[in-house]
Amino acid sequence: MTTIAIIGAGLAGAAAGRSLLEAGHQVTLFDKGRGPGGRMSTRRMETALGTVRLDHGAQFFTVRGDGFTKAVAGWSAAGACASWQGKLIKIGADGSSDPLGGDDRYVGVGGMNQVVKAALEGLDARFGRQVLAIEGGPGAWSLRFSEGEREGPFEVVLVAVPAEQTGPLVSDWVPHMAREAEAVQSAPCWAAMAVFDTPVTADFDAARLETGPLSWISRETSKPGREGPEAWVLHGSPAWSKTHLEETADEVAQALLSAFAGHATFTAPISLTAHRWRYAQIEQPAGTPFGWAESLGLGVCGDWRLGPRIEYAFASGQALAAAVIESRAL
C-alpha cells in the first residue's frame, strides 16, 4: 500500500483518487475550496422568492469514452446527474437560430457540483486546505499549507489543479512539467447570474452564441432538480471577458444583462450578480493525458492536459492513476 496525497479534489483528482483507492492505496485529497465543485461549482442564492441554484461555471458535460460512460451511469443511478432535456440552440452571427445538436448533455441534479460530490463519495477529501508547497523528497514528501502547518510523509504526490496553479507547485522538482503548465493558455469568462420574479420570454432554454458580448445563455430552471424562481446564467465571450476583465462585478452584470435583452424579454431582475473566472477554458492544452515522474513519485493531471471538456479532466485523472498503479506493482 502506497501513501498518496492528491492536491485538488475536482473531477481529475477524484478520478485518480478512486482508481488508486480501489487498487489498495491510501489516498488523501486536499482542496483549497470550501466544498466540491471548482469550475463545476453551483452558486446558491437566497432571494425573496426562495432559494435558487445556478451553475455559473461548467454548464453541462457530454459522454464518449468507456470509463467515463461507466462513471456517469453510476452517478445517474445514484441521482446525482441526468440528461438535460431543454431546448438548446445556437445563434449565428447573422441572428439565425438552429438546434444545438451533438451529443446528449448531462447536468448535475440540483447543481453541477453534485457530480463532483458523487465522484468523491467514499474518498478522504479535505476542503479549505490550500497547499502552498511540496516539500521533502522522494518517498517522504510533505505538503505545506497556507495556515503554516504541514502534513506527510507521502510516498506519492499528485497535482490535480489548473495549470496556472500547477507550475509553482512542481517547478522545484520537475521543471519540465512546470514549463508544460506555464505554456498552457486559458481564456477568462465573466458569468452573470440573474433571478426574476416573472417569467422570461425566450424561445430557448439555452443558447450558444457565435458573436457579441455573450457566448452562452442558460435558463437554469430548465435543468433537472432546479426548483425556485426563474434564474438565468449569462456567460461573456472569451474576447469580451478579457477586455472587461478588471471591471467590477456590478458593471459586468449590468452589461451582460443588457446584451441578454437582445435575445429575450424580461422585467428587472430581483437579484443580479457576476463572478469572474480568470482561467475558465483551456485554449492551448499540453497535449498529453498526464505527467508522471516515476523516480520522484510526482505526477500532474487535469483538463489542461487534454482540453476544455469535463470528460478530459476525468480521463486525465484515471490515466495518471493507471501509471502510478503500474509503477507501484513492479
Side-chain angles (χ1 to χ4, degrees), residues 175-287:
H176 71 282
M177 290 186 198
R179 288 193 294 271
E180 286 180 328
E182 290 162 2
V184 168
Q185 297 178 18
S186 301
C189 177
W190 269 109
M193 293 158 275
V195 182
F196 302 87
D197 59 3
T198 57
V200 171
T201 302
D203 189 33
F204 53 83
D205 291 313
R208 177 173 290 159
L209 297 91
E210 293 183 354
T211 189
L214 293 167
S215 63
W216 178 261
I217 302 169
S218 173
R219 189 197 308 264
E220 295 297 285
T221 36
S222 71
K223 296 178 178 179
R226 310 301 174 93
E227 299 177 352
E230 181 102 348
W232 290 73
V233 166
L234 317 171
H235 277 178
S237 70
W240 190 93
S241 295
K242 184 175 182 179
T243 299
H244 300 271
L245 191 63
E246 301 305 332
E247 293 186 9
T248 68
D250 287 343
E251 291 171 333
V252 167
Q254 290 293 341
L256 294 180
L257 186 70
S258 296
F260 182 36
H263 304 280
T265 302
F266 50 85
T267 58
I270 61 172
S271 180
L272 178 65
T273 188
H275 177 87
R276 177 177 55 196
W277 298 98
R278 284 192 179 273
Y279 311 112
Q281 183 165 315
I282 308 302
E283 293 186 318
Q284 181 61 52

Side-chain angles (χ1 to χ4, degrees), residues 67-90:
F68 197 50
T69 297
K70 180 180 178 181
V72 171
W75 301 335
S76 297
C81 65
S83 177
W84 185 10
Q85 298 300 317
K87 181 180 180 181
L88 279 61
I89 67 169
K90 55 183 177 181

Side-chain angles (χ1 to χ4, degrees), residues 153-194:
F154 300 100
E155 296 168 78
V156 169
V157 173
L158 307 181
V159 181
V161 297
E164 294 77 13
Q165 299 165 22
T166 296
L169 287 172
V170 302
S171 58
D172 288 345
W173 307 108
V174 275
H176 71 282
M177 290 186 198
R179 288 193 294 271
E180 286 180 328
E182 290 162 2
V184 168
Q185 297 178 18
S186 301
C189 177
W190 269 109
M193 293 158 275

Side-chain angles (χ1 to χ4, degrees), residues 309-323:
R309 292 185 62 230
I310 287 174
E311 182 169 357
Y312 285 158
F314 182 90
S316 175
Q318 277 204 327
L320 175 55

